[in-house]
Amino acid sequence: MTSNPSSAASTYDVVLIGGGIMSATLGALLRQLEPGLSIALFGRLDDVALESSNGWNNAGTGHSALCELNYTPLRPDGTVDISKAVNVNEAFQVSRQFWSYLVESGQIASPRDFLNPIPHMSFVWGPENVDFLRRRHAALQEHPLFAGMSLSTDEGQMRQWMPLVMQDRKSGQPLAATWHPAGTDVNFGALTHRLIDLLRGKPGFDLNLAHEVEDLKPAGSNGWDVSVRAVHGGGERKVRAKFVFIGAGGGALHLLQKSGIPEARGIGGFPVSGQFLRCTNPDVVQQHHAKVYGKASVGAPPMSVPHLDTRVIDGQRGLLFGPYAGFSTKFLKQGSWLDLPRSIRMDNIGAMMAVARDNMPLTKYLIQQVMQSSEDRLKALRDFVPTARKEDWELITAGQRVQVIKKDARRGGVLQFGTEVVTGAGGSIAGLLGASPGASTAAPIMLTVLQRCFGDRLPQWESRLREMIPSYGTKLGQDAALCAQVRERTRTALQLDG
Ligand SMILES: Cc1cc2nc3c(=O)[nH]c(=O)nc-3n(C[C@H](O)[C@H](O)[C@H](O)COP(=O)(O)OP(=O)(O)OC[C@H]3O[C@@H](n4cnc5c(N)ncnc54)[C@H](O)[C@@H]3O)c2cc1C
C-alpha cells in the first residue's frame, strides 16, 4: 500500500494541499498511525502558517464555549440550550489530548510555545443580558465539562478579574461576568510549525513550499493527478496521490470545484474579512489577563462577537480587540480580488442569490462595519476598555474566512457559519470548508476525515487512536470520571497550571 518517496517522487499515498493547521494536523496524525505512508505537502506561500492559522491572523481562542455566548442560545421558553457548547468543548478536549500525547511522547518539546492558560470570561451589561448570563451560568455549571465557572455581578470582584475593563467604567446599568480558569490562548501558527517539524526531514515526507496546486483530476482507481506550479519559477509538475486532502483554507472551494466531485456541486462561498485593534502600549497590555467575550450586535455573524484578548505570541504578551468585520472578494488574505466572482457557477448561483436575498441584516451589518471610521472603532473598544487612547492601538488585518453557502430545498440557499468536511470519490479526496469553531477543533475534524476516508484502516488504528486520545469513541460529557481524568492529564501535560 505504501510507496517509497524520494524528494523527486511523483507518486504519494497522501497529498496535503495547504500549509495551515488543518493539513499539519492531518499529516501529524497519519504519521503516528502509519509511519510508512508517503506524504507530500504543497503550500503556495514561502512558509507554512501564513494565512488564517498565523498567530496574528486569528484570535487564538482555544474555543471551548467557556466564554462564547453564541454557543448557548436562549430557547423561546427562556431556558438556555447548551448542546452546541457541549459539542464545542468536547471537540477541544480531543485537540488537547492529541497535543498532550505529542508532548508526552517527546515529539513537541515545549507546549508553552503554542498554548498558554488565560482565563475565559463573558461580560455583559443591561438587565436583559445580565439575566441571560445568569441562566447560562446556571445551565453550564452543573455540567462536568464546565465545572469551575464563577459568576459575579459585584463590581469589586469584576475589577479583580479584569481591572482594565472596569477602570473608569460609568455604565449606570447592571453588569455581570463569568470567569473560568481553564481557558487557553493558542498560537495556531506556532503549533502548525511544531507539527510540520515533526514531519519535516523524516523519510516519507516531502515539504514543497512556494508550490501552488492548480488542478486536480481523477486518475481512476489510482487516486488523483495533482498539477502543481512552482511559484518562483521552475514550471509545472504533476504528482499522483492515492488520497488528497484540500486544507487550502479559503482556497479550498476552488479546488473542490476543480476536482469535479458531485459532493462539491451547489456549494458557494461568502468571504468575511476581519480586522483587530492591537495594543502597542506594554503598560496597558500588562493590565489585562483574560479573554473577555461580549454579546454580538444585531445582524452580526456569530464570529463577529467583540472580545478583548490577552495573547501570547513568541513568548510576548499582547492585547487584541475585535474583530471588526469587513468585506473583500478575496478568499485568502493573500488571494485575488477575482476569487469570489470565479467561484460562481451555474450550480451554485441560485443558492448564492437566495442567501443575498435572505440575509439583509448581515449585509447591513457588513456595510456598517466597512464604513466605520477610526473613531467608531475606538468607540466600540471603549465599551470594553473605557480608558482606551487612540494612540495606544493599531489596526491590523486578520485572516480571511469563507463561509459556506449550501443549497436548501425550502429557501434555495443557506449561509452556514460552521465547518464542513466534503468528501468524495470513494473517500479518495476530502476538503475542508468554513472556519468556525476553526483551528481549535483541528484534531476532531481530522478524525472525521479519517473516519470518512480511511474507514478500512480504522479497526487497525483504533488502539493507537485510543492511546493518543483516550476519549476516542466516547462522549466526555456523559462520563464525568473520564472527563475529570482527561482534564487533569491534559492540564499537566500541557503545563496549564497557573
Ligand atoms: C479573524 C479570525 C479569527 C479567528 N479566531 C479563531 C480563534 O480564536 N480560535 C480558533 O480556533 N479559530 C479561529 N479562527 C479560525 C482559524 O484561524 C481557521 O479555522 C484555521 O486557521 C484554518 O486553518 P486551515 O489550515 O484550514 O487554513 P489556513 O491557515 O488559511 O491555511 C491555508 C493554506 O493553504 C494554502 N493554499 C491555499 N490555496 C492553495 C493552493 N491552491 N495550493 C497550495 N496551497 C494553497 C495557503 O497558502 C495556506 O498555507 C479565526 C479565523 C479568523 C479569520
Side-chain angles (χ1 to χ4, degrees), residues 109-129:
S110 168
R112 283 294 176 95
D113 285 353
F114 71 92
L115 185 72
N116 281 274
I118 304 286
H120 279 194
M121 297 187 61
S122 308
F123 174 53
V124 295
W125 50 90
E128 207 178 309
N129 291 335

Side-chain angles (χ1 to χ4, degrees), residues 352-370:
M352 293 178 83
M353 303 280 283
V355 163
R357 181 198 64 213
D358 291 348
N359 287 274
M360 284 321 283
L362 172 63
T363 313
K364 251 169 81 186
Y365 169 81
L366 288 178
I367 293 170
Q368 271 168 9
Q369 290 273 302
V370 171

Side-chain angles (χ1 to χ4, degrees), residues 16-24 41-54 56-63 68 92 185-186 188 192 208-215 227-228 245-252 254-255 272-276 291 293 303 307 309 311 323-324 331-334 397-402 419 432-442 445-446:
L16 306 169
I17 305 175
I21 187 68
M22 298 298 170
S23 289
L41 185 150
F42 294 95
R44 67 194 281 267
L45 300 178
D46 291 345
D47 201 353
V48 297
L50 290 178
E51 283 284 345
S52 290
S53 301
N54 183 271
W56 289 114
N57 284 349
N58 61 70
T61 302
H63 283 304
E68 309 87 331
F92 190 58
D185 178 72
V186 192
F188 292 107
T192 304
N208 303 274
L209 296 174
H211 279 73
E212 179 158 3
V213 172
E214 300 215 300
D215 207 0
S227 304
V228 185
F245 174 66
I246 308 175
H254 282 141
L255 291 170
V272 178
S273 53
Q275 290 175 315
F276 288 112
K291 282 174 176 277
Y293 273 61
M303 73 282 187
H307 45 99
D309 282 60
R311 301 297 321 273
Y324 301 94
F331 278 6
L332 289 161
K333 186 171 172 180
Q334 301 192 49
T397 301
Q400 191 71 354
R401 300 195 219 225
V402 180
T419 306
L432 186 71
L433 299 173
S436 186
S440 304
T441 49
I445 292 172
M446 292 311 123

